[in-house]
Amino acid sequence: MPESDQTKQEHMPQVAPVSASPAVPAPEPVPEPASASASAPVVAARRAGLLVTLVLGGLTALPPLSMDMYLPALPAVTDSLHAPAATVQLTLTACLAGMALGQLVVGPMSDKWGRRRPLLVGMIVYVAATAICALAPGIELLIGFRLLQGLAGAAGIVIARAVVRDLYDGVEMARFFSTLMLISGVAPIIAPLIGGQVLRVTDWRGIFVVLTAVGLLLTLVVLKWLHETLPEEKRHSGGVGEALRTMRGLLADRVFTGYTLAGGLAFAALFAYISASPFVVQEIYGASPQTFSLLFGLNSIGLITVGQINGKLLVGRVSLDKALGIGLAVITLAATALLLMTSGVFGRVGLAPVAAGLFVLMSAMGLAMPNTNALALTRTPHAAGSASALIGTSAFLIGAVASPLVGIAGEATAVPMAVVQLTCALGSVGCFLGLCRPWQRRGEAV
């Protein structure tokens, strides 16, 4: 059951939100009257809330920084370590696999020992692994420590979501996830640019030096400013067996599983875009790298903007289920349009219509991703760490399966990308309607 406001104030005076909506059916909260001048405790709470937002945003941005800042350096790594390009690609796969599997380990640990301790251990290991990557003399060692880097970096992803669940509930949680999307969504846009600038002054090893510095800075920030958010009486005392039973119980919740799969499949449609768009935009439609970068940036801005519309305007006025349903419907329509255009139903189409379809699909992710996270975590106040681990791992694993399929038909067509996106979108809608069944829980809707 969600903890009372009094308990939150006793255990989390530094960071607890001023108000939160309950996770179970309850009367609508009465808004607090506005005052001409905020009291000192209220001002302190707002400042702490902003600080926590920045800290959690940094933690969720670190994994995309670790992946995308390194992309411009792949050819340089191939030359420097005298390794085949396919082998160097394994450094990306290893990091991604580590991020997926690490969440299954760190999530239950944070339910047992609290949020701070596993997070700090993960950050310290991340800093050490990244520093060793900068010094790696061969490709085998680089692959191994990229795997360790991903495993440790997963702590930031999973615990950031768990901390949000500790502090917020219902619509407040959805608003916070939308705010996190603003911060973490910028990372994939600027990461390749930062990596390119680093390569102008040093070699590929310098990118890992920068990532080491970023990880060290985040570790110090967490140590100083992110207080424990899980009280001892709410922690699990069991070991691995208890963690597995907790996860089995979470997966037995049909509604939680539905939201987890719906979010994972929507994320897979996003992965398909990331994997295929450089090839589709540049090779098939003949755009320059600069044009591709511009379109990629615009799509990311669309996702961030819709995420902010969701958090600032829709949440609290429209139920989370309704906002999620709208997002999934738009994603499905955009994927259908992309399939029709790329398969030649409308004849030969140029880059502009395809780019518009991708923009709409990407922007609608701003409704799908924060709301699936919020709706799934709302059901799991007793095991937020384990639930966050299942949400994150499913998204990464489904995305990792979907990504290679976009190139299954070779380099002459964009149809596989559209097919994968539409399949994932339809699967997401199916999970939402078939497992979540929001019309049956209308009284619970947040």
Side-chain angles (χ1 to χ4, degrees):
M1 294 294 293
E3 60 185 345
S4 65
D5 292 340
Q6 180 179 357
T7 304
K8 283 187 179 181
Q9 290 170 0
E10 290 172 358
H11 293 287
M12 297 174 293
Q14 304 94 329
V15 297
V18 177
S19 64
S21 61
V24 295
E28 287 293 323
V30 179
E32 297 181 3
S35 59
S37 60
S39 63
V42 172
V43 172
R46 288 173 182 168
R47 288 176 179 169
L50 175 61
L51 185 59
V52 170
T53 302
L54 294 175
V55 173
L56 298 182
L59 291 173
T60 55
L62 188 59
L65 282 176
S66 302
M67 291 290 294
D68 296 344
M69 192 185 298
Y70 174 68
L71 293 178
L74 288 178
V77 175
T78 301
D79 295 337
S80 174
L81 299 182
H82 307 290
T87 304
V88 174
Q89 287 285 346
L90 290 177
T91 61
L92 296 176
T93 304
C95 188
L96 182 62
M99 289 178 187
L101 299 176
Q103 295 184 62
L104 288 177
V105 177
V106 178
M109 287 172 58
S110 74
D111 283 337
K112 181 178 180 180
W113 290 307
R115 312 304 185 202
R116 269 176 60 88
R117 200 186 313 175
L119 178 57
L120 286 170
V121 171
M123 292 303 300
I124 291 170
V125 174
Y126 174 89
V127 170
T130 308
I132 294 174
C133 286
L135 303 172
I139 190 63
E140 295 81 7
L141 191 64
L142 181 59
I143 292 172
F145 278 93
R146 282 285 278 176
L147 175 64
L148 182 59
Q149 184 192 41
L151 288 167
I157 309 172
V158 68
I159 292 180
R161 277 196 301 263
V163 168
V164 174
R165 181 62 189 91
D166 293 339
L167 299 179
Y168 298 95
D169 211 342
V171 296
E172 292 294 331
M173 181 164 47
R175 287 195 180 102
F176 201 99
F177 277 127
S178 294
T179 302
L180 282 186
M181 184 174 290
L182 173 63
I183 299 172
S184 60
V186 173
I189 302 174
I190 65 173
L193 300 177
I194 296 174
Q197 294 304 309
V198 171
L199 290 175
R200 296 183 64 177
V201 297
T202 183
D203 61 7
W204 62 271
R205 299 180 188 275
I207 292 177
F208 288 107
V209 172
V210 173
L211 288 172
T212 301
V214 172
L216 182 60
L217 177 62
L218 268 176
T219 304
L220 296 175
V221 168
V222 168
L223 183 64
K224 181 172 178 60
W225 282 300
L226 187 64
H227 304 281
E228 181 57 63
T229 60
L230 185 66
E232 289 190 12
E233 65 270 15
K234 288 186 170 292
R235 298 177 189 177
H236 295 185
S237 57
V240 175
E242 175 67 22
L244 293 176
R245 283 191 294 272
T246 298
M247 288 188 175
R248 186 168 63 246
L250 291 171
L251 292 174
D253 180 349
R254 169 179 53 80
V255 179
F256 170 81
T257 301
Y259 286 126
T260 299
L261 291 176
L265 287 164
F267 195 61
L270 174 64
F271 259 58
Y273 159 77
I274 293 173
S275 299
S277 60
F279 161 72
V280 170
V281 173
Q282 296 181 78
E283 298 298 325
I284 295 180
Y285 290 97
S288 66
Q290 291 74 25
T291 300
F292 166 72
S293 299
L294 175 62
L295 293 176
F296 190 90
L298 287 174
N299 290 340
S300 300
I301 291 170
L303 186 152
I304 294 168
T305 301
V306 174
Q308 294 313 292
I309 292 172
N310 176 71
K312 305 297 183 183
L313 298 179
L314 296 183
V315 171
R317 296 178 175 86
V318 177
S319 73
L320 300 188
D321 279 311
K322 186 176 291 186
L324 173 58
I326 293 171
L328 294 180
V330 173
I331 291 171
T332 303
L333 290 174
T336 302
L338 284 168
L339 180 58
L340 293 175
M341 286 188 287
T342 57
S343 61
V345 171
F346 301 128
R348 173 74 178 175
V349 297
L351 176 60
V354 173
L358 290 171
F359 176 80
V360 172
L361 185 145
M362 280 287 291
S363 297
M365 294 290 175
L367 290 177
M369 292 195 293
N371 291 323
T372 50
N373 285 342
L375 286 162
L377 288 172
T378 293
R379 302 184 63 85
T380 61
H382 58 289
S386 297
S388 177
L390 289 173
I391 293 169
T393 300
S394 65
F396 274 93
L397 290 181
I398 297 173
V401 170
S403 293
L405 299 178
V406 299
I408 199 169
E411 302 180 357
T413 176
V415 170
M417 177 193 73
V419 169
V420 170
Q421 289 174 329
L422 181 57
T423 301
C424 291
L426 291 174
S428 184
V429 171
C431 291
F432 177 57
L433 297 178
L435 296 177
C436 303
R437 303 174 191 172
W439 61 89
Q440 294 181 352
R441 300 176 294 104
R442 201 162 289 170
E444 302 177 32
V446 290

